[in-house]
């Protein structure tokens, strides 16, 4: 089956935003593969013993988007949809981590490793999703685009070029933002400043 054209997805998203709920039946098959790839990339980076399945992340994120944004959202593009999907996946993973932490005796979770920011950058395991979420919330208050770059790269699994397209900025801008965000996260998550 040929890959969906970006304008096909955009047109369906815009119809959905106008309240045409029936287009969801056409939209889901066009976006499901990419949503699943994004979730798979992120799930590979989760610590051993992580109980949430990739398909569950995709379905829950999609349902949250449908419940929140359908029927009235003004979708501008496919890129905007996948950026919001990244945010929804982040929310799913954070909620799951909170529930697991609450269910553990003592409620504690392992701290972040010294290389937390690099682990975020390289999608390595052992990153405390809750601590990362809190740090990203603080980063968003200072520089929303830096937080978006981390969200798209880590939670959405997008590469530099894909993130640049989603944000509508240059490849070089995303690379610079990514380096800056990693340094900021290292300082925030570990308390260590390393230039």
């Amino acid at each position: 089956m040929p890959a969906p054209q970006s304008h096909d997805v955009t047109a369906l998203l815009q119809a959905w935003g106008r309240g045409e709920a029936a287009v969801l039946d056409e939209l889901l098959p066009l976006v499901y593969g990419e949503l699943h790839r994004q979730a798979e990339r992120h799930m590979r980076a989760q610590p051993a013993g992580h109980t949430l399945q990739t398909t569950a992340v995709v379905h829950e994120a999609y349902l949250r988007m449908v419940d929140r944004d359908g029927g009235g959202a003004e979708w501008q593009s496919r890129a905007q949809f996948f950026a919001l999907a990244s945010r929804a996946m982040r929310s799913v993973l954070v909620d799951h981590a909170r529930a697991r932490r609450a269910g553990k005796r003592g409620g504690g979770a392992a701290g972040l490793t010294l290389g937390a920011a690099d682990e975020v950058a390289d999608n390595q395991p052992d990153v405390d999703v809750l601590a990362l979420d809190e740090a990203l919330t603080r980063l968003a208050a200072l520089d929303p685009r830096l937080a978006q770059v981390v969200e798209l790269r880590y939670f959405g699994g997008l590469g530099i070029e894909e993130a640049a397209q989603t944000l509508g900025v240059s490849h070089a801008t995303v690379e610079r933002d990514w380096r800056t965000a990693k340094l900021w996260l290292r300082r925030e998550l570990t308390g260590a400043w390393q230039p």
Side-chain angles (χ1 to χ4, degrees):
M1 178 165 111
Q5 297 295 316
S6 178
H7 65 275
D8 294 341
V9 172
T10 300
L12 289 171
L13 287 167
Q14 290 171 345
W16 177 31
R18 290 190 302 269
E20 298 175 33
V23 301
L24 287 177
D25 292 338
E26 293 177 60
L27 180 63
L28 184 57
L30 295 177
V31 298
Y32 187 83
E34 180 57 32
L35 291 173
H36 203 273
R37 281 187 290 282
Q38 283 183 357
E40 277 180 335
R41 284 189 295 253
H42 184 69
M43 294 306 292
R44 281 193 300 263
Q46 294 303 303
H50 188 69
T51 59
L52 194 58
Q53 298 297 314
T54 303
T55 302
V57 172
V58 172
H59 291 182
E60 180 63 25
Y62 187 78
L63 288 174
R64 289 180 185 195
M65 292 175 63
V66 169
D67 287 345
R68 191 189 102 211
D69 291 317
E74 292 187 24
W75 295 101
Q76 326 241 298
S77 68
R78 176 182 186 278
Q80 178 199 26
F81 175 82
F82 286 111
L84 289 174
S86 292
R87 190 167 295 134
M89 286 182 196
R90 171 183 171 190
S91 176
V92 169
L93 292 166
V94 167
D95 289 350
H96 181 72
R98 283 188 180 126
R100 281 184 50 105
R101 181 178 284 181
K104 286 183 178 181
R105 183 175 292 191
L112 292 163
T113 63
L114 183 60
D118 288 330
E119 290 174 2
V120 168
D122 297 331
N123 287 335
Q124 297 296 316
D126 299 328
V127 172
D128 182 336
V129 174
L130 294 178
L132 177 59
D133 180 62
E134 292 167 3
L136 282 177
T137 299
R138 291 190 303 273
L139 180 58
L142 298 172
D143 190 324
R145 193 178 68 213
L146 290 181
Q148 285 179 307
V149 167
V150 174
E151 191 170 75
L152 291 171
R153 299 267 296 134
Y154 184 72
F155 288 99
L158 300 183
I160 296 287
E161 192 58 42
E162 293 169 306
Q165 290 173 348
T166 299
L167 295 172
V169 297
S170 72
H171 183 99
T173 297
V174 171
E175 283 184 335
R176 185 175 50 253
D177 286 352
W178 185 232
R179 282 191 306 272
T180 302
K182 287 190 302 184
L183 287 170
W184 190 89
L185 286 170
R186 177 181 300 278
R187 188 188 73 217
E188 285 295 304
L189 296 174
T190 66
W193 175 252
Q194 296 180 4

